[in-house]
Structure formats: structure tokens, C-alpha cells
């Protein structure tokens, strides 16, 4: 709902909706259950289908991949200059204004950059291991590789950089909170929701950068001011200011960045002292509330020393084990399983046509652009093999192999023929040469490191032809791989490789159609991608057909973009349905941000990035002006909205992720004393209510409570009518806790969290609504039905919620968990609860939103 846009807005990839989805499994192994090794391997292969892979660098932070260990999170991307950048977030980095801020932004720059337009690029989000890899197995002479991970068990970020030639490395902190700044833009003020309508300026305090020392960089943000006291004062809770600790004042969050073989060259940058082939940058975040800056630095040093006590390979193994176990405890695959084998062997058909490179079987739809290498294999190569070909230089003389039928370098055109290079005699007939039909111009490839084979320029006048022979039967399957740089994309398409009569599917066709997309045709299937490839740019393209299993795939720059790869390793659109993909990636994001000090924020979680403001009329140059907001910006600011916060947590119950729910329940349990005292002050009775919108310490956002309040408005009454009586969140949250207990049987959780919440939430309603109707039933009014009917009597959500919650508590809590006095209290209140409000029309009984209701809003 609110996090998937990270993946929905990926660079050009294609989605294929499978004709029939097959539910493989939804399971939660019992405690201590050891998964079968073969089942684990199959699960891993299926998970790899969901890995997100990008083959072009990012333009800005919107093109970032999320990483995290539940408390510390990153938005990471490689930019077009070849630098690795990432924002760092932490679940408890609250500013004095109650905003959840980033810790900072890091830029990693090797002399051998992470991106070069001369080789295939790959940035992969490895879900199975909770890591991001840049150019895994990349061509060492041109690009560096990196692996980024946030340790699942320790507060540390690891960035591992490798290169096969010696390089130098720079790691730099980029600071945007460098001076005090007042937020004046009306829309950006939404990032400080709660203060946006207030009378005082909203000031963003600067970070502190410590003087560089040895091989480390240290920075932090410290709250020297706090909105806590003024918030309580404005809300009639002055007596609570000293009763509860200010959670913001003195809160300090930041990090230390270090690296072996690195030295500080400024207060914000490290550089390698000597060239090397392997580097590791470690970043150690810390948030804690201290009385002095020095105390925070001392605690940071202690934290760093504790983490360094674990050897890196030991930490890596434990980190991967955590993620592997996370995926093994539950999953949903609403896709065609990898294990399904299609019975029908369709094959590629049979005809006497030659194979044409750059034209169809009638010599039309000719290719226009440059071509560097074309290879034909008599089987479907695996995803890993395709990737290796894409990562190899387009002119590299590759080793011969038995399954290679032909490899053609059009730039070696001599006397009307193209040399067939790198094949073995027992698989290739001497006649398998490519003859030029019409003019094709060989030329040097100035963009390549070395160009012994050059490239061929196709201008629509000519093409290449391979005579038909028994060696072109491709009975086992087929792989076509090629390096091309199209000049244009006619609407009618351009053939790359073709052996198919026009108007039929008897044979095979690999082409661009429609427009800037890739298409592959076999007798059993036509695959159509949604790519939008660019003219004039080199790209590696491939198609595979597995005759035994009737599997068919298209690859772009080493990544499957349509179809079903042989090994099941794929990306966003290469098989998994949107249902599977949405479920898997959302659960991944929950794990990245769900084990911190506070619950997942509904408005961006820990993954906000610098972005354009919300106003709809901003122009293309907004980034240069005040309407481009930094990565601390988020709509609806720092408070929690229960209706939105609950959404990822309900799904965790079904997934067996009760450990990720701990921060959610901990916040409300810790707020209970504050809620009890506020109830006493506002309403003069026991119990506790939880408003729809709260700061993490329990107070209303003052924008909702009201800055300018009518003198006759009671102290407990908000000016915001959408949440004025909206207290039923406490009922639903308590029910969620009961569901956790029902699944886990955790007696300590029931005694310490569930029962105290249930006792005070139910008691609030019992004490607050004392009036009764003529039948002796409670009258729950003034009240509201969610946010929609602002004036209601006996609203259905409250009535149904209380009846259901109390019935289940009485039926399911074992003896000794809740006291007998409490059970008696619940039973008495349950007897007096009203019936569900209903009406009857046309003989049909229907639920009403409330017994009486008016004031329709937010509908």
C-alpha cells in the first residue's frame, strides 16, 4: 500500500501475468522445526525469482533500493557517474520537533567506478540474504564491485568494495543539515505535522561534525530543544510535564564511519592510504539520550568495540542465516511453480528457410544500427550463463563450447562473408557461414577497450544470411545472444534474427516490436516485453527456448525481462505475479524496518528520499527551488495514525512475524501510564484511551488537538472533528495482541502487555459511558463511527469490537493470566453492552454504522 512504489516505479521492465496462477505454499513451521534441505533449496530458487535487478544506474535517490536490519535502514543506488550513494535512517532518530530524521548520506567513489557505459551493469537486491550487490562477477578491468548489508544482529553497515586491479577509494559524508534552517514552505511544514499550524517558527537544527581523527569520521544530531513540554502545556496536561521524562531533549543520533587502510582527509571524508583491490567501509549508527555530547561519543566507542569483537565472516554467516530463516518460516507463491514441467513438447518447427541476421524471411523489416556479436546455441542457456555473456566485452574472444552452433562478428566482414568463430568441429558444419546480402559496412568500434573484430553498420540496405542445414535444427532448444545498438525503431519492427515464414510461427523470430520493445516468437508462444530501450546505446539482448520443458525467455543486459528462465533466477517481471511480488517485497520491507525502537511509520517507513513537494503545480525546475525537499521530508510528519499503522501489522499475524510486532505493542504498552493519567485529567475516571493520532510519547499532534481553541471547548475535546471521539483504536490494538497470544501461547506477553491493555481500554469504555437506555443497555454517546459519522450513538465498530474482544478474553485467557476480579468486571460490562445496530429493508437484515448517526464526513 504505502511502500511498494519503491518497486512499482522501476526502470523499464516487463510484467507477464501468468494465465493460471498456482498457490505453492503458505506455511509457518512450528517452533524448532528444521526445514528439509531439498525444500530449502527449492524455496531459495523460488525466492531468487523475486530478486530485484536493475541494469541501468539511478538518476537520483528515487532509484534506490531499500536495505535494513529492522532498526537501521538504507536507500542505496549507483548513480550515472558510477558512485554508490545511500541514505541512512534509524527508527529512533527523532528531532526536537518530533520529526523522524535521516542520520546522513554517504557517497562511495572508487577510481574504478561502479558503472561504465562500456559494460553491462547490474545492481541486485538479494532478498534471500538481505544484501545488495553491485556488479557481482563484473568485468574487473572496467568496473568495481560492491556488496552492501546492514548486519541483522549488530548496529553496523558494511560496504565491501572489490576490484581486480588496484584502485583507490573515497568514502564521504554528505551533510545537508549544516546550518540552522527555518521551514517556510507551507507544504514542507507538513513534515513537522503537529507544528504546521502553530505560531512558532519550525527550525531545523544543524548536525555536528567532529574533527577528523585517525581513520574515522564522527557526526551526530543532538536535540537541544524539545516540543514535549509545550505540547503537553497546550493540551491541558501541564502537571504531566515533570511526571514523565521528556523523550526528545538530549536525544542524540549519529554514526562513526571507519575503514581498514583508510585515513581521514577531511572532517567528512576517508580515502584509502594506498591502492588496493579490496576495501571495507563500516558505519556504526547510535541513538541514545545523554546529558552531554561526550557521553554519547563514549557510548558510540563502546558500541563500535563490541561490534568489532565479531569477526566479519562470522557476522556475515549469522546475518544470512537470519534472513534465510525469515524467508523459511512463511511464504506465499501465487505463481506457476518452478517444479511444474509442461508435458507438451512443441519444438521450434521445421522449415527450409535460411537464418537471417537483420531481416525477416522475405528480406524486409531490416535492422538499422550497429551489431557487434551474434551467437547461436542449440540449447537454452541458464540465467547465469546469459549474465556472463552480457558482462563479457562485446568483442571479447570467448572460449569455444560444444553447444555453440555459431558465433558471428559482423565487423570482420571479408569478401561478402562473416567469419564463424569459436566453434567445435563436431557441432558445426563448414557451411555455417553468414553471407552478406546487400551492403553492410564494417567499422572500428571506438567505444570499446579493444576492437579486433570491430562492428558492422546496418543502414537498412543489407543483411546477413546463413544457409539452412541439418546443423540448424535446434532440437534441444535455442539461445540467441547479441550485442546491438539500434539507430531507430520503426513501428513495424526490426528483425534481429529470423528463421520463420512471415505470418506464421513455424520457426523462430527475435526482433524489436512494437517500437522500442523486444519480442520473441516460437511455435508455442509469443513473448512481448514492455521495455523502452534507447536508440544509439549498446545493449546485450538474448532469447532462450528450452525444448524439453517448453520454456521461453527474453533477456536484456543479462536480466530476464519476460518468460520463464531455466534456473528460476529472475527479476521483477520474469515470472512472479504481482500478487506474489507485492506480498514478498512488502514483507521484506517490514523486516528491514520492523525490529527497531518504534513501530513502522505508515508514511514512508525508514525509506523517505529527497523528493518534490506535494503541490501539484510544480514545474520541471522545482529541484532548484524551495519546492524540492530533502530526505527528512514526509507527508503527515512524525505522529502515528493508528488506522494506517495497523495495516502492515495485521499481515504479520498471518505470516508468523510476531517478532516484528514487538515494537508496535511495546509503544502502546509503554504509553499506558501516560494514557491513564490523561484519562483522569480529561475525564475524571480510570482506564485509558488511545487517540487515532499520537506522538510516540502519547500526546495528540497539536495540529489535531487545536492551536486556536474556542474558550467554551472542553479540555478533552479536539478541534479536529475527524478524531474527536475516535478512540476505538485501543480495542483493535488489544485484539491484535490477543491474536498474538492465541498463536504463540506466550504467557509473559499476555500478563505484561495483553491484559494491562485490555484492562484499561475496556475500563475506559465502562467508566466513560455510564448512561443506559430503557432496556438497561449502555448508551455509547457522544461517539463516532470511525472518521465517517462524527456524531453517533452506539457506533458499530465500538459495539462489535467490545463484544467480540471481551467474549474472546473470557473464553481464551487461561486461569491466572487475568485476575478473577477483572473477569467479573468484564462479564458485568459485557451484559450491558448494546446489540449491534441493524435495520431491515425488503426482508433483509442489514448492519448500520450506528444506532443513530449524522455528520457524514471523510467518505
Amino acid at each position: 500500500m504505502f511502500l511498494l512504489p519503491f518497486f512499482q516505479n522501476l526502470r523499464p521492465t516487463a510484467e507477464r501475468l501468468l494465465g493460471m496462477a498456482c498457490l505453492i505454499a503458505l506455511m509457518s513451521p512450528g517452533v524448532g522445526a528444521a526445514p528439509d534441505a531439498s525444500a530449502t533449496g527449492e524455496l531459495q530458487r523460488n525466492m531468487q525469482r523475486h530478486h530485484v535487478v536493475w541494469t541501468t544506474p539511478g538518476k537520483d535517490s528515487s532509484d534506490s533500493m531499500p536495505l535494513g536490519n529492522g532498526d537501521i535502514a538504507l536507500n542505496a543506488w549507483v548513480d550515472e557517474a558510477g558512485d554508490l550513494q545511500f541514505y541512512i535512517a534509524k527508527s529512533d532518530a527523532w528531532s526536537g520537533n518530533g520529526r523522524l530524521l535521516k542520520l546522513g548520506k554517504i557517497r562511495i567513489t572508487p577510481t574504478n567506478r561502479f558503472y561504465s557505459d562500456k559494460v553491462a551493469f547490474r545492481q541486485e537486491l538479494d532478498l534471500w540474504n538481505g544484501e545488495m550487490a553491485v556488479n557481482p562477477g563484473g568485468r574487473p578491468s572496467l568496473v568495481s564491485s560492491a556488496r552492501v548489508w546492514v548486519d541483522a544482529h549488530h548496529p553496523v553497515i558494511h560496504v565491501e568494495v572489490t576490484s581486480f586491479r588496484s584502485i583507490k577509494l573515497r568514502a564521504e559524508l554528505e551533510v545537508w543539515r549544516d546550518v540552522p534552517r527555518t521551514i517556510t514552505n507551507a507544504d514542507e511544514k507538513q513534515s513537522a505535522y503537529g507544528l504546521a499550524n502553530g505560531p512558532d517558527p519550525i527550525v531545523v537544527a544543524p548536525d555536528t561534525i567532529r574533527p577528523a581523527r585517525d581513520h574515522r569520521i564522527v557526526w551526530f544530531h543532538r536535540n537541544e530543544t524539545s516540543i514535549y513540554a509545550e505540547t503537553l502545556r497546550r493540551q491541558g496536561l501541564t502537571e504531566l510535564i515533570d511526571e514523565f521524562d521528556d523523550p526528545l531533549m538530549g536525544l542524540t543520533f549519529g554514526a562513526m564511519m571507519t575503514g581498514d587502510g583508510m585515513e581521514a582527509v577531511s572532517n567528512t571524508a576517508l580515502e584509502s592510504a594506498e591502492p588496493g583491490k579490496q576495501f571495507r567501509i563500516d558505519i556504526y549508527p547510535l541513538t541514545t539520550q545523554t546529558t552531554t555530547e561526550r557521553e554519547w561519543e563514549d557510548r558510540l566507542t563502546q558500541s563500535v568495540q563490541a561490534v568489532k569483537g565479531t569477526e566479519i565472516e562470522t557476522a556475515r554467516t549469522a546475518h544470512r542465516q537470519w534472513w534465510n530463516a525469515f524467508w523459511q518460516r512463511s511464504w506465499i507463491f501465487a505463481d506457476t511453480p518452478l517444479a511444474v514441467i509442461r508435458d507438451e513438447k512443441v519444438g521450434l518447427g521445421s522449415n527450409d528457410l535460411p537464418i537471417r541476421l537483420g531481416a525477416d524471411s522475405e528480406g524486409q523489416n531490416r535492422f538499422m544500427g550497429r551489431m557487434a556479436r551474434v551467437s547461436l546455441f542449440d540449447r537454452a542457456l541458464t540465467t547465469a550463463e546469459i549474465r556472463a555473456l552480457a558482462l563479457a566485452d562485446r568483442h571479447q574472444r570467448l572460449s569455444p563450447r560444444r553447444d555453440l552452433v555459431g558465433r558471428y562478428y559482423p565487423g570482420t566482414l571479408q569478401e561478402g562473408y562473416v567469419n564463424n568463430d569459436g566453434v567445435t568441429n563436431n557441432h558445426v558444419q563448414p557451411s555455417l557461414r553468414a553471407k552478406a546480402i546487400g551492403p553492410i559496412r564494417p567499422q572500428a568500434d571506438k567505444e570499446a577497450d579493444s576492437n579486433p573484430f570491430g562492428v558492422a553498420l546496418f543502414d537498412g540496405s543489407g543483411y546477413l544470411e546463413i544457409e539452412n542445414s541439418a546443423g540448424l535444427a535446434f532440437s534441444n532448444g535455442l539461445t540467441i545472444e547479441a550485442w546491438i545498438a539500434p539507430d531507430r525503431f520503426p513501428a513495424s519492427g526490426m528483425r534481429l534474427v529470423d528463421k520463420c515464414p512471415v505470418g506464421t510461427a513455424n520457426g523462430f523470430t527475435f526482433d524489436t516490436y512494437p517500437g522500442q520493445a523486444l519480442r520473441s516468437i516460437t511455435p508455442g508462444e509469443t513473448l512481448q516485453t514492455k521495455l523502452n530501450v534507447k536508440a544509439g546505446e549498446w545493449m546485450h539482448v538474448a532469447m532462450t527456448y528450452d525444448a524439453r520443458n517448453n520454456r521461453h525467455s527474453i533477456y536484456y543486459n543479462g536480466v530476464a525481462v519476460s518468460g520463464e528462465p531455466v534456473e528460476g533466477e529472475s527479476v521483477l517481471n520474469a515470472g512472479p505475479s504481482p500478487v506474489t511480488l507485492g506480498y514478498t517485497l512488502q514483507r521484506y520491507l517490514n523486516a528491514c524496518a520492523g525490529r527497531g525502537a518504534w513501530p513502522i511509520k505508515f508514511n514512508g517507513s525508514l525509506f523517505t528520499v529527497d523528493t518534490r513537494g506535494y503541490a501539484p503545480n510544480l514545474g520541471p525546475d522545482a529541484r532548484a527551488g524551495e519546492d524540492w525537499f530533502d530526505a527528512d521530508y514526509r507527508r503527515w510528519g512524525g505522529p502515528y495514525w493508528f488506522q494506517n499503522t495497523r495495516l502492515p501489522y495485521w499481515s504479520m499475524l498471518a505470516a508468523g512475524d510476531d517478532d516484528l510486532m514487538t515494537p508496535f505493542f511495546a509503544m502502546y504498552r509503554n504509553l499506558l501510564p501516560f494514557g491513564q493519567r490523561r484519562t483522569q485529567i480529561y475525564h475524571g475516571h480510570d482506564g485509558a484511551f488511545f487517540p487515532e493520532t499520537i506522538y510516540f510519547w502519547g500526546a495528540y499532534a497539536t495540529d489535531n488537538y487545536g492551536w486556536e481553541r474556542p474558550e467554551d471547548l472542553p479540555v478533552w475535546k479536539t478541534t479536529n472533528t475527524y478524531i474527536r471521539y475516535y478512540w476505538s483504536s485501543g480495542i483493535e490494538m488489544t485484539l491484535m495482541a490477543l491474536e498474538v497470544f492465541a498463536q504463540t501461547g506466550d504467557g509473559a506477553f499476555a500478563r505484561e502487555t495483553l491484559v494491562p491493555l485490555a484492562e484499561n481500554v475496556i475500563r475506559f469504555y465502562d467508566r466513560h459511558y455510564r448512561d443506559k437506555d430503557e432496556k438497561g443497555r449502555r448508551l455509547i454517546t457522544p461517539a463516532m463511527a470511525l472518521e465517517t459519522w462524527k456524531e453517533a450513538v452506539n457506533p458499530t465498530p465500538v459495539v462489535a469490537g467490545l463484544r467480540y474482544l471481551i467474549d474472546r478474553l473470557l473464553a481464551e485467557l487461561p486461569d491466572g493470566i487475568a485476575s478473577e476480579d477483572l473477569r467479573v468486571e468484564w462479564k458485568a460490562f459485557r451484559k450491558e453492552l448494546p446489540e449491534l445496530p441493524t435495520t431491515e429493508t425488503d426482508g433483509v437484515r442489514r448492519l448500520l454504522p450506528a444506532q443513530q448517526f449524522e455528520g457524514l464526513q471523510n467518505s
Side-chain angles (χ1 to χ4, degrees):
M1 178 197 131
F2 52 93
L3 295 178
L4 278 180
F6 275 112
F7 300 102
Q8 291 172 338
N9 192 31
L10 304 184
R11 271 69 53 84
T13 52
E15 281 193 4
R16 178 183 178 216
L17 295 177
L18 301 179
M20 179 175 291
C22 176
L23 180 65
I24 295 180
L26 166 60
M27 63 171 292
S28 296
V31 176
D36 177 76
S38 60
T40 300
E42 182 69 9
L43 173 62
Q44 181 178 358
R45 289 189 292 274
N46 275 290
M47 281 302 307
Q48 288 171 339
R49 303 177 77 194
H50 302 77
H51 288 185
V52 179
V53 177
W54 293 337
T55 58
T56 56
K59 295 184 180 301
D60 54 42
S61 58
S62 295
D63 294 333
S64 59
M65 288 182 171
L67 295 160
N69 68 354
D71 177 44
I72 301 163
L74 309 181
N75 287 85
W77 74 102
V78 172
D79 63 24
E80 293 175 318
D83 292 347
L84 169 64
Q85 300 187 56
F86 53 86
Y87 282 111
I88 305 172
K90 202 167 183 299
S91 67
D92 51 4
W94 301 102
S95 77
N97 288 326
R99 302 169 73 209
L100 188 61
L101 304 185
K102 297 291 187 185
L103 267 62
K105 179 171 174 282
I106 302 296
R107 181 186 295 268
I108 308 292
T109 306
T111 52
N112 200 28
R113 299 298 181 93
F114 294 109
Y115 169 71
S116 168
D117 59 5
K118 297 179 180 180
V119 295
F121 171 78
R122 184 179 179 88
Q123 180 179 326
E124 178 175 357
L125 184 61
D126 181 346
L127 301 175
W128 180 251
N129 290 314
E131 302 169 356
M132 186 187 82
V134 178
N135 296 324
R139 188 160 178 256
S141 63
L142 291 178
V143 293
S144 294
S145 300
R147 187 165 293 276
V148 185
W149 49 292
V150 187
D151 193 316
H153 300 288
H154 301 98
V156 60
I157 302 158
H158 295 298
V159 182
E160 299 170 295
V161 179
T162 60
S163 173
F164 278 72
R165 72 180 186 187
S166 292
I167 60 171
K168 296 202 73 175
L169 187 70
R170 180 181 177 90
E172 185 169 9
L173 167 70
E174 295 186 349
V175 181
W176 65 92
R177 298 186 300 256
D178 51 350
V179 295
R181 180 177 71 90
T182 299
I183 299 177
T184 57
N185 180 288
D187 193 54
E188 191 182 4
K189 285 184 177 181
Q190 287 290 316
S191 187
Y193 192 94
L195 307 179
N197 300 320
D200 300 321
I202 302 172
V203 179
V204 179
D207 296 341
T208 298
I209 313 298
R210 282 300 191 212
R213 191 173 58 174
D214 302 327
H215 58 280
R216 67 183 190 179
I217 301 296
V218 175
W219 76 96
F220 58 83
H221 188 97
R222 180 172 174 81
N223 295 337
E224 300 292 353
T225 61
S226 167
I227 64 170
Y228 172 78
E230 181 62 16
T231 299
L232 298 193
R233 193 176 292 113
R234 289 272 183 174
Q235 296 179 22
L237 302 173
T238 302
E239 61 189 274
L240 301 185
I241 293 175
D242 295 328
E243 190 171 331
F244 296 95
D245 293 334
D246 184 334
L248 298 177
M249 186 66 75
L251 190 69
T252 307
F253 45 90
M256 177 191 297
M257 180 167 65
T258 68
D260 292 340
M262 307 289 288
E263 58 185 13
V265 295
S266 72
N267 292 339
T268 58
L270 300 174
E271 286 189 0
S272 52
E274 300 291 340
K277 296 182 179 180
Q278 291 186 327
F279 296 94
R280 194 179 84 229
I281 302 295
D282 297 325
I283 302 168
Y284 303 87
L286 176 69
T287 301
T288 189
Q289 201 167 12
T290 62
T291 55
T292 65
E293 295 177 358
R294 177 61 183 271
E295 183 181 353
W296 179 84
E297 290 188 79
D298 289 343
R299 293 188 185 181
L300 176 63
T301 300
Q302 294 169 7
S303 176
V304 171
Q305 291 173 344
V307 173
K308 284 188 172 181
T310 302
E311 198 272 334
I312 185 65
E313 291 305 323
T314 301
R316 188 195 315 279
T317 298
H319 166 84
R320 291 179 173 178
Q321 286 175 343
W322 188 92
W323 277 102
N324 297 169
F326 172 76
W327 294 118
Q328 289 178 63
R329 71 186 179 202
S330 71
W331 62 85
I332 293 177
F333 296 138
D335 307 308
T336 301
L338 293 178
V340 172
I341 303 298
R342 300 172 184 152
D343 294 331
E344 183 181 4
K345 184 176 179 179
V346 178
L348 289 171
S350 176
N351 62 59
D352 297 328
L353 293 173
I355 293 177
R356 288 190 168 99
L357 310 183
D360 64 22
S361 60
E362 296 179 352
Q364 304 301 311
N365 294 313
R366 295 181 181 180
F367 176 74
M368 290 174 283
R370 292 171 291 167
M371 190 177 294
R373 182 181 80 219
V374 181
S375 303
L376 304 174
F377 297 81
D378 70 349
R379 70 174 178 88
L381 300 187
T382 67
T383 300
E385 290 172 315
I386 296 292
R387 186 190 308 165
L389 290 169
L391 290 171
D393 187 279
R394 56 182 175 268
H395 299 299
Q396 186 174 344
R397 185 185 291 273
L398 303 176
S399 301
R401 42 194 295 170
R402 292 177 59 84
D403 51 9
L404 180 62
V405 174
R407 173 165 288 144
Y408 305 94
Y409 294 94
T412 60
L413 189 67
Q414 296 175 2
E415 298 179 359
Y417 290 91
V418 176
N419 294 337
N420 185 352
D421 179 58
V423 295
T424 55
N425 291 331
N426 63 334
H427 270 260
V428 179
Q429 300 182 36
S431 62
L432 293 182
R433 56 186 183 178
K435 180 180 180 181
I437 309 298
I440 296 174
R441 297 197 302 273
Q443 56 184 218
D445 188 351
K446 298 179 181 179
E447 302 173 29
D449 283 352
S450 59
N451 53 2
F453 303 113
V455 300
L457 178 62
F458 293 69
D459 62 5
S461 302
Y463 55 90
L464 300 172
E465 184 173 283
I466 307 167
E467 294 181 9
N468 184 50
S469 74
L472 300 178
F474 301 108
S475 57
N476 295 319
L478 169 67
T479 294
I480 301 170
E481 66 100 15
W483 275 102
I484 60 172
D487 285 341
R488 67 202 70 175
F489 294 91
S492 59
M494 297 190 301
R495 295 294 198 270
L496 304 179
V497 181
D498 186 277
K499 191 181 189 297
C500 187
V502 172
T504 76
N506 180 28
F508 54 86
T509 294
F510 189 29
D511 64 358
T512 64
Y513 180 84
Q516 295 167 258
L518 292 173
R519 179 180 66 168
S520 178
I521 300 173
T522 65
E525 185 176 35
T526 295
L527 290 184
Q528 180 65 68
T529 70
K530 296 179 182 178
L531 290 170
N532 187 28
V533 297
K534 295 180 181 180
E537 294 187 1
W538 281 106
M539 64 193 73
H540 184 268
V541 297
M543 66 81 72
T544 63
Y545 173 73
D546 181 358
R548 183 175 67 88
N549 297 323
N550 195 25
R551 289 177 177 168
H552 188 191
S553 299
I554 298 177
Y555 293 79
Y556 171 71
N557 286 339
V559 179
V561 291
S562 188
E564 190 173 359
V566 171
E567 287 189 331
E569 179 187 330
S570 181
V571 294
L572 199 61
N573 58 343
S577 69
V579 171
T580 303
L581 193 66
Y583 177 83
T584 302
L585 295 180
Q586 181 65 63
R587 187 162 174 256
Y588 167 76
L589 288 167
N590 290 347
C592 285
R595 296 194 295 154
W598 302 101
I600 294 170
K601 286 284 290 163
F602 73 96
N603 46 352
S605 186
L606 297 180
F607 305 110
T608 55
V609 295
D610 53 291
T611 186
R612 179 164 294 169
Y614 181 75
N617 59 346
L618 298 176
D621 298 327
R623 192 180 187 111
E626 65 172 6
D627 292 321
W628 192 273
F629 303 146
D630 61 40
D632 293 328
Y633 171 81
R634 66 176 76 229
R635 287 276 291 172
W636 306 110
Y640 285 91
W641 269 247
F642 179 82
Q643 281 191 83
N644 299 338
T645 301
R646 64 182 174 166
L647 295 177
Y649 288 97
W650 271 115
S651 68
M652 292 178 191
L653 286 164
D657 296 335
D658 50 277
D659 56 331
L660 303 185
M661 303 183 75
T662 299
F664 175 77
F665 293 118
M667 181 176 78
Y668 283 100
R669 177 61 181 90
N670 293 336
L671 294 181
L672 196 50
F674 183 92
Q676 291 172 306
R677 291 289 288 118
R678 175 172 50 193
T679 300
Q680 292 168 349
I681 294 170
Y682 280 2
H683 302 293
H685 59 70
D686 292 339
F689 73 95
F690 296 100
E692 161 66 2
T693 63
I694 58 171
Y695 282 114
F696 69 89
W697 63 88
Y700 282 104
T702 310
D703 283 343
N704 288 334
Y705 180 79
W707 290 95
E708 300 294 332
R709 296 170 55 83
E711 292 184 2
D712 60 347
L713 193 66
V715 67
W716 61 267
K717 211 170 198 178
T718 63
T719 60
N720 185 316
T721 61
Y722 293 102
I723 64 168
R724 178 170 286 173
Y725 313 114
Y726 192 177
W727 304 318
S728 58
S729 56
I731 302 173
E732 184 174 352
M733 176 260 300
T734 305
L735 177 60
M736 294 171 75
L738 179 58
E739 293 284 4
V740 170
F741 174 67
Q743 290 191 22
T744 65
D746 187 340
F749 174 79
R751 285 187 293 271
E752 297 166 12
T753 299
L754 168 58
V755 171
L757 288 173
E759 176 181 0
N760 283 278
V761 167
I762 296 171
R763 185 168 292 160
F764 169 81
Y765 282 96
D766 185 11
R767 301 295 192 269
H768 195 72
Y769 297 104
R770 304 298 293 173
D771 293 341
K772 301 179 182 179
D773 63 15
E774 66 278 3
K775 296 181 180 180
R777 301 283 187 171
R778 299 292 181 95
L779 284 171
I780 300 176
T781 187
M784 59 195 306
L786 305 181
E787 294 186 12
T788 306
W789 288 275
K790 63 182 180 180
E791 299 291 341
V793 177
N794 294 342
T796 295
V798 175
V799 174
L802 287 171
R803 290 164 61 99
Y804 182 67
L805 175 62
I806 294 174
D807 286 347
R808 284 195 57 185
L809 288 168
L810 291 172
E812 297 178 22
L813 287 182
D815 293 341
I817 296 293
S819 69
E820 186 57 34
D821 289 344
L822 189 56
R823 296 176 66 89
V824 170
E825 181 180 329
W826 289 344
K827 289 177 182 178
F829 183 45
R830 173 64 179 86
K831 288 180 180 179
E832 296 181 353
L833 284 174
E835 298 294 329
L836 290 177
T838 62
T839 187
E840 188 170 311
T841 56
D842 299 326
V844 179
R845 190 180 179 213
R846 309 176 192 277
L847 279 172
L848 292 170
Q851 184 177 317
Q852 299 174 30
F853 50 91
E854 59 180 303
L856 184 67
Q857 61 182 9
N858 199 19
S859 61

